[in-house]
Amino acid sequence: MKTHFLKPGDNKIIIENLSNLFLEDSDLHIAVAYFNSEYFADLIIERAKKKQKTLLILNTSDLIRPKEAGKSEIVISKALIKILKHEGNYIFCKSLGLRVLGNYQNMHHKFIFTKNKLFFGSLNLTDAAINRNFESLLETDNKFLIKDFYSEFGKLWNIGSELYSDRDGKLRSIMCPKCENSDGVDFESFGPICHMCGYNFIVD
Ligand SMILES: [Zn+2]
């Protein structure tokens, strides 16, 4: 078991360690609340090109976020949209948690693993986490721990909702903050707009 502590500034070696996990052949499982890192989005897309499978679970309430603290403008991360556009045979995304009339349920896990290695700690896959935050991360190849996290991931996966459906091309689970409906959120056909009420999402 190895411990890693990130701090604002240079986390190059730690990120390199974590990135190596993304280069493994075996299935990559990611459960993080929030994802906005283009760096990791690109690694996931590279995996798909090499026919390596990635399964990603995110927190529903964090799919859309205020652009700045206290502001009402809502953004979806560019990195997430990028991944969802490649969703298919090798990238699978689900979200878990609720954001209904102020009733919050959060998927607050942060763990990433293959059958060989597990990272867990405080790290979301965000630019802030890898560049600007104080974070802790444990790295282990302990088979028993990996098995436990694998089993937990399976439970989350079973109750998560698909974030993207090929069939109708809709980005489901992303609720429009104005009309509180997810049926009108279909970025493929009309761009980042809710076509139930016309709300414009900002992709950032
Ligand atoms: Zn709407």
Short mmCIF file of all heavy atoms in Angstrom, two decimals, residues 176 178-181 194 196-199, ligand 1:
data_model
loop_
_atom_site.label_atom_id
_atom_site.label_comp_id
_atom_site.label_asym_id
_atom_site.label_seq_id
_atom_site.Cartn_x
_atom_site.Cartn_y
_atom_site.Cartn_z
N CYS A 176 -32.95 19.15 -16.46
CA CYS A 176 -32.97 20.59 -16.76
C CYS A 176 -33.26 21.35 -15.47
O CYS A 176 -34.24 21.07 -14.80
CB CYS A 176 -34.05 20.89 -17.80
SG CYS A 176 -34.34 22.64 -18.01
N LYS A 178 -34.33 24.24 -15.10
CA LYS A 178 -35.46 25.15 -15.20
C LYS A 178 -36.80 24.40 -15.13
O LYS A 178 -37.62 24.68 -14.27
CB LYS A 178 -35.37 25.94 -16.51
CG LYS A 178 -36.28 27.15 -16.56
CD LYS A 178 -36.00 27.96 -17.82
CE LYS A 178 -37.16 28.90 -18.11
NZ LYS A 178 -37.10 29.37 -19.49
N CYS A 179 -36.97 23.39 -16.02
CA CYS A 179 -38.27 22.69 -16.01
C CYS A 179 -38.21 21.37 -15.23
O CYS A 179 -39.20 20.68 -15.11
CB CYS A 179 -38.78 22.47 -17.43
SG CYS A 179 -37.82 21.27 -18.39
N GLU A 180 -37.03 21.04 -14.67
CA GLU A 180 -36.83 19.85 -13.84
C GLU A 180 -37.28 18.57 -14.54
O GLU A 180 -37.90 17.70 -13.95
CB GLU A 180 -37.52 20.02 -12.49
CG GLU A 180 -36.99 21.23 -11.74
CD GLU A 180 -37.30 21.21 -10.25
OE1 GLU A 180 -38.19 20.45 -9.85
OE2 GLU A 180 -36.63 21.94 -9.51
N ASN A 181 -36.95 18.49 -15.83
CA ASN A 181 -37.33 17.34 -16.63
C ASN A 181 -36.07 16.87 -17.36
O ASN A 181 -35.28 17.70 -17.79
CB ASN A 181 -38.38 17.81 -17.63
CG ASN A 181 -39.17 16.66 -18.20
OD1 ASN A 181 -38.60 15.63 -18.58
ND2 ASN A 181 -40.48 16.84 -18.24
N CYS A 194 -32.25 22.47 -23.52
CA CYS A 194 -33.42 21.67 -23.13
C CYS A 194 -34.53 22.00 -24.12
O CYS A 194 -34.99 23.12 -24.18
CB CYS A 194 -33.86 22.02 -21.71
SG CYS A 194 -35.46 21.34 -21.28
N MET A 196 -37.53 21.04 -24.05
CA MET A 196 -38.86 21.16 -23.42
C MET A 196 -39.13 22.64 -23.10
O MET A 196 -40.22 23.13 -23.29
CB MET A 196 -38.93 20.36 -22.12
CG MET A 196 -38.62 18.90 -22.25
SD MET A 196 -39.95 17.90 -22.92
CE MET A 196 -40.93 17.64 -21.43
N CYS A 197 -38.09 23.32 -22.60
CA CYS A 197 -38.34 24.70 -22.15
C CYS A 197 -37.37 25.70 -22.77
O CYS A 197 -37.49 26.90 -22.56
CB CYS A 197 -38.25 24.79 -20.62
SG CYS A 197 -36.57 24.67 -19.99
N GLY A 198 -36.39 25.21 -23.53
CA GLY A 198 -35.47 26.14 -24.20
C GLY A 198 -34.27 26.55 -23.37
O GLY A 198 -33.46 27.38 -23.78
N TYR A 199 -34.14 25.97 -22.17
CA TYR A 199 -33.01 26.35 -21.32
C TYR A 199 -31.68 26.00 -21.99
O TYR A 199 -31.50 24.92 -22.52
CB TYR A 199 -33.11 25.60 -19.97
CG TYR A 199 -32.00 25.96 -19.03
CD1 TYR A 199 -32.10 27.09 -18.22
CD2 TYR A 199 -30.84 25.18 -18.93
CE1 TYR A 199 -31.08 27.42 -17.35
CE2 TYR A 199 -29.81 25.51 -18.07
CZ TYR A 199 -29.95 26.64 -17.29
OH TYR A 199 -28.92 26.97 -16.43
ZN ZN B 1 -36.11 22.45 -19.48
#
